[in-house]
Amino acid sequence: MFHKEKPDYHRCQYGFYTIDELVPEDHFLRQLEVEIDLDRRKHEKKSLKPTKESEAREKKISRTDPESGWFHKGEHKKVFAYSAQVACDKHGWALAYTVEAGNVHDSQAFPTLFAKIEPFHLSSPIPAPRE
């Protein structure tokens, strides 16, 4: 993990937002929901159930760097940060890297990194265990 240093950065400058507040009314997903509803009515199907209010979760977003993610390091330190993943060959040379928000799990960031190293066509990306 590394932290994006800014002279005016203060980790307490954040706000809580719901997805409804972040997504504008004219966003294509909202328009898509309306079109799906019209199509379902046209084919005499029931409308889809609206999402429950309890499903709307708040998200902590930095006011100084909204692309960063809220990261918990241990029990005490909580900061907005970024996560870097690097794929190396057997000699330690970097083949590819990705940088994600700190709140993105490594398992979610891996497919992007793997897509970057696929063109190398590594014969055996994981060495066999030595006996």
Side-chain angles (χ1 to χ4, degrees), residues 38-73:
L38 291 174
D39 187 60
R40 290 183 68 83
R41 288 182 190 175
K42 180 180 169 184
H43 290 93
E44 299 176 0
K45 293 183 179 181
K46 292 181 183 178
S47 296
L48 297 175
K49 294 179 184 177
T51 58
K52 298 177 185 175
E53 287 297 320
S54 62
E55 292 178 16
R57 294 184 350 175
E58 287 187 337
K59 185 175 180 181
K60 190 180 253 189
I61 298 177
S62 170
R63 291 189 180 121
T64 55
D65 189 8
E67 293 178 354
S68 63
W70 189 243
F71 176 72
H72 297 258
K73 185 175 183 180

Side-chain angles (χ1 to χ4, degrees), residues 31-120:
Q31 294 171 358
L32 183 63
E33 287 177 1
V34 171
E35 289 183 27
I36 289 173
D37 190 48
L38 291 174
D39 187 60
R40 290 183 68 83
R41 288 182 190 175
K42 180 180 169 184
H43 290 93
E44 299 176 0
K45 293 183 179 181
K46 292 181 183 178
S47 296
L48 297 175
K49 294 179 184 177
T51 58
K52 298 177 185 175
E53 287 297 320
S54 62
E55 292 178 16
R57 294 184 350 175
E58 287 187 337
K59 185 175 180 181
K60 190 180 253 189
I61 298 177
S62 170
R63 291 189 180 121
T64 55
D65 189 8
E67 293 178 354
S68 63
W70 189 243
F71 176 72
H72 297 258
K73 185 175 183 180
E75 293 182 21
H76 304 288
K77 186 147 183 158
K78 298 174 185 173
V79 295
F80 286 101
Y82 290 91
S83 174
Q85 295 84 24
V86 181
C88 300
D89 66 2
K90 64 182 179 181
H91 303 290
W93 290 92
L95 299 174
Y97 71 92
T98 60
V99 177
E100 304 286 340
N103 58 350
V104 175
H105 192 268
D106 290 341
S107 65
Q108 294 175 339
F110 179 74
T112 307
L113 180 63
F114 186 74
K116 288 183 176 183
I117 63 171
E118 271 187 316
F120 291 102

Side-chain angles (χ1 to χ4, degrees), residues 114-131:
F114 186 74
K116 288 183 176 183
I117 63 171
E118 271 187 316
F120 291 102
H121 298 291
L122 301 175
S123 57
S124 68
I126 303 172
R130 296 181 186 181
E131 294 182 18

